[in-house]
Amino acid sequence: MRVLTSEQMREADRRAIEDLGIPAAVLMENAGRQVVAAMEGAFEIDEAAVAVLCGRGNNGGDGFVVARTLFQRGVEVSVFLVGEAAAVRGDARRNLDSLAALGLDVVEIADAGAWELHGSDVLGADLIVDALFGTGLSAPLDGLAETIVADVNACPAPVVAIDLPSGLSADRVDPPGPAIEATLTVALAAPKLPLVLSPGEAFTGDLVIADIGIPLSTIEELDGPWIELITRDSVRPLIEPRARDSHKGDYGRLLVVAGSRGRAGAASLTAMAALRSGAGLVTVATPASSLPVVAALGAEYMTSPLDETPEGTVAPDAIESVLLFGADVIAVGPGLGRSPGAAAFVQALVERAGVPLVLDADALYAFGDDPGRLTGRDGVDVIITPHPGEMARLTGLSIEEVQANRLDVARDFATTHRLTVILKGHRTIVATPDGKTFVNRTGNPGMATAGSGDVLTGMVAAWAAQLLDAEAAAKLAVFLHGLAGDLAEADEGEVALIASDIVSHLGEAVLDLTARKRRQGPPAS
C-alpha cells in the first residue's frame, strides 16, 4: 500500500483520467460513495443528523456527493459551503447543482458573520463531515478557516475527514498550522504522509483507504519517492507452510554474538526471539566468563565461548573463531559492551564477514566515531536496527532532528551506506539500499522497555536466514514484532509489558498473521 505525495496523487488522477479514460466525475462519485460506506461501517448514521462542511474545490465536490448519497438514503443531512457558490467550478459545481435539483439546501458561509449565524447548526450535528481542504493545501489555515477548525475541534461530535483532515499537508508529517482532529479519515486511492506518521497521524483518527477506481498498477508506476505501508497482505505471503520432510538445517544456522559481563540477558533474549521466529539452529557466541549465565537462561540454543578483554567484553582476536563458525547469518551487538576491544571486533566483522549481518545496540556504537566504515558490500547484506539515539550518533544529527525527519534520515543513510536500516520507535521505518521506505503500524507504547530491541534483532536475523532477502526479513520482522507486542499488551497492559512477553507471543503473532487458529484438543485422526 503505497503512500503518496500531493504531486504523485495529482499524477495518479491525471493518468486515470487522460490515459485510462476514467472521467473525473466518476472518480469524484466513487470517492463520495466510498466515504459514505466507511461512515456506515463506523457509525450508526440512519438516525443521525449529519453536517457536511464543504470547500470550493474537489474535496468539497466529494462532500457534495456524500451529502447527496446520504440524502437519497433518507439520512438527515445539512450542507454548508465555506465560500460562495459562484466560485465552485467543474465537477464540484455539477455535484453542487445536483443538490439544488434534489431540493437540498446549501448554506453559504462566506464570512465570519455567516459562521456566527450558522455555526451552531454545524456544531450541533451528531456527525460532521470535513470536506474543506484536500491534498492541495500547503499553507497554514487562517482567518475564517482557522476559526471553523477551532470550533469543530471543540465540539463533541465525531468528525469524518475526506482524504486528509483539513489543515494537514500531504507533503509533510507535521501540520503547517491548525488542523481538524478527525475521528475517522477516509484516504482516497492511497494514504498520504501525515496520515501514517507522527505528529500528523494524531489528527487522523481511524484510517480507511478507499478504492476510487484508480488501478493499483497506476499507483505503483508513479515516479518519485517510494513510501509504502507494511500491511498484513504484504507480509503474509512471506510465511510459507513448512514441508513435511524438512529439518532444522532448512531454516538457517544463526550465530548471535552478544552479551558481556553483567549483560547476559540481552544475548538470551536475542537468541530466544530467533528461535521463536523459526530459526533452525541458534548459537550464542559470548565472552567466556558470560557463557555459564547465558547457557543457563535458555535450553534451546547452543553457546560458544569467545576470547574476552579484562572488562569481560569480546576481544578483537575473537573475530577468527566467529568467521570460521559457518553461520548463515550473524547477529551482533546486544549487550556486547562498548570497550575499544569490542568496537575493534565489530569493525573487523563488518569488513570481513561473508554472510548477512544484523547489527544492533553496541555494534552500532562501534561506528559512532567513523560511520563511513559501516557499509554494505556486494553479496553481503547488512541490516542495522538503531533507535533514534543511535541513529543520531551515526548521522551527527540531534535526536530531535532524527525524529522530525525519520523517513529522510533512514532513507539517506540506507542509500549512502548501501545497507538496510530499521529505524525503531513509534512507526518503525524500514529503508533499503535502493531508496525504498516502509512504514510499520503495529506496536504500542508498552514496548518501550529494556530488551525489546534485542528481541527484534533476533527476529530480523532469523527471518533473514529463512527468506534470504534483507528487505523481506526486515518488513516481516518489524510487523510481527509489533503484532506480538500488541498481543502481549492485550494480556499484560502497557505498564507491565516486558521484553520476554513479546517473545512469548511470537507464535501467536505468526498464527494471527497467517489466519491459523490454535488447535483445540488432539488432532483429528
Side-chain angles (χ1 to χ4, degrees):
M1 184 176 293
R2 195 170 177 185
V3 181
L4 301 185
T5 65
S6 59
E7 182 179 352
Q8 288 172 325
M9 190 65 240
R10 284 193 295 271
E11 177 63 11
D13 283 335
R14 188 200 66 77
R15 293 186 184 188
I17 295 167
E18 297 180 10
D19 299 346
L20 301 179
I22 302 173
V26 171
L27 297 178
M28 185 172 289
E29 184 72 18
N30 291 345
R33 290 183 176 275
Q34 287 282 44
V35 171
V36 172
M39 292 168 61
E40 290 175 329
F43 307 100
E44 296 289 340
I45 64 172
D46 289 342
E47 303 299 325
V50 180
V52 184
L53 269 172
C54 298
R56 294 169 297 177
N58 285 339
N59 199 250
D62 299 334
F64 298 144
V65 176
V66 169
R68 169 166 47 81
T69 304
L70 292 173
F71 181 75
Q72 291 175 321
R73 296 185 185 184
V75 177
E76 181 184 345
V77 59
S78 303
V79 187
F80 302 85
L81 171 62
V82 179
E84 297 179 351
V88 180
R89 299 283 188 271
D91 294 310
R93 179 74 207 194
R94 283 184 281 275
N95 280 298
L96 174 60
D97 291 342
S98 73
L99 297 181
L102 289 171
L104 181 57
D105 293 333
V106 176
V107 178
E108 292 186 21
I109 301 177
D111 52 36
W115 177 249
E116 185 73 22
L117 181 63
H118 299 288
S120 59
D121 296 329
V122 176
L123 305 176
D126 299 317
L127 181 63
I128 299 173
V129 176
D130 166 27
L132 291 173
F133 301 98
T135 57
L137 185 72
S138 57
L141 299 180
D142 57 11
L144 176 59
E146 182 178 8
T147 299
I148 292 174
V149 166
D151 289 347
V152 169
N153 286 343
C155 84
V159 178
V160 177
I162 300 179
D163 210 18
L164 281 173
S166 292
L168 296 186
S169 166
D171 296 321
R172 51 190 288 184
V173 297
D174 58 320
I180 289 285
E181 297 168 5
T183 310
L184 170 70
T185 297
V186 184
L188 305 179
K192 315 307 183 292
L193 200 58
L195 302 181
V196 298
L197 287 171
S198 291
E201 68 167 352
F203 296 81
T204 302
D206 293 332
L207 178 62
V208 171
I209 313 301
D211 178 3
I212 63 171
I214 299 176
L216 179 60
S217 59
T218 298
I219 292 174
E220 290 180 340
E221 292 167 0
L222 294 170
D223 296 330
W226 186 282
I227 306 168
E228 183 180 328
L229 291 185
I230 301 173
T231 65
R232 286 178 176 271
D233 288 344
S234 67
V235 297
R236 183 184 290 118
L238 299 177
I239 304 180
E240 297 182 352
R242 294 190 168 190
R244 291 186 178 274
D245 61 349
S246 61
H247 57 84
K248 59 190 177 184
D250 294 330
Y251 302 107
R253 188 179 186 189
L254 175 61
L255 181 65
V256 175
V257 183
S260 59
R261 194 174 299 157
R263 297 179 179 86
S268 178
L269 282 170
T270 304
M272 290 305 300
L275 287 165
R276 287 289 188 185
S277 298
L281 291 161
V282 177
T283 300
V284 179
T286 192
S289 62
S290 300
L291 188 144
V293 179
V294 174
L297 290 173
E300 294 86 355
Y301 53 76
M302 298 169 285
T303 54
S304 179
L306 295 176
D307 292 342
E308 61 184 358
T309 65
E311 299 85 9
T313 61
V314 61
D317 58 8
I319 184 67
E320 302 302 334
S321 60
V322 168
L323 292 175
L324 292 173
F325 186 83
D328 297 316
V329 175
I330 301 174
V332 58
L336 201 64
R338 298 181 176 181
S339 69
F345 166 85
V346 174
Q347 291 165 0
L349 182 61
V350 170
E351 291 171 359
R352 297 176 58 187
V355 298
L357 298 173
V358 181
L359 279 67
D360 183 33
D362 294 335
L364 299 177
Y365 185 86
F367 296 95
D369 295 330
D370 190 6
R373 299 182 66 176
L374 180 53
T375 304
R377 293 178 282 115
D378 291 342
V380 179
D381 289 326
V382 176
I383 305 172
I384 66 172
T385 63
H387 59 56
E390 292 161 344
M391 195 77 245
R393 190 166 188 269
L394 289 172
T395 58
L397 302 171
S398 68
I399 294 176
E400 292 74 20
E401 288 171 323
V402 170
Q403 291 294 74
N405 301 281
R406 286 172 59 82
L407 276 173
D408 292 341
V409 169
R411 178 172 52 231
D412 291 348
F413 198 89
T415 54
T416 301
H417 295 261
R418 303 196 305 276
L419 44 70
T420 299
V421 175
I422 299 175
L423 179 53
K424 296 181 291 194
H426 180 61
R427 303 303 181 228
T428 291
I429 303 296
V430 174
T432 65
D434 60 358
K436 291 184 178 180
T437 51
F438 303 86
V439 180
N440 183 54
R441 289 176 59 83
T442 59
N444 62 84
M447 299 174 70
T449 184
S452 178
D454 304 328
V455 172
L456 179 60
T457 300
M459 296 176 65
V460 174
W463 288 113
Q466 295 169 80
L467 299 175
L468 306 178
D469 182 324
E471 177 187 308
K475 292 191 296 184
L476 180 57
V478 299
F479 183 91
L480 287 173
H481 182 253
L483 180 55
D486 290 338
L487 294 169
E489 187 272 337
D491 288 341
E492 305 293 343
E494 290 182 354
V495 174
L497 195 155
I498 58 176
S500 58
D501 295 328
I502 302 174
V503 175
S504 65
H505 284 80
L506 288 176
E508 187 178 355
V510 172
L511 291 174
D512 185 279
L513 174 61
T514 56
R516 290 184 56 195
K517 301 298 183 182
R518 194 181 301 275
R519 182 182 291 139
Q520 302 295 323
S525 60

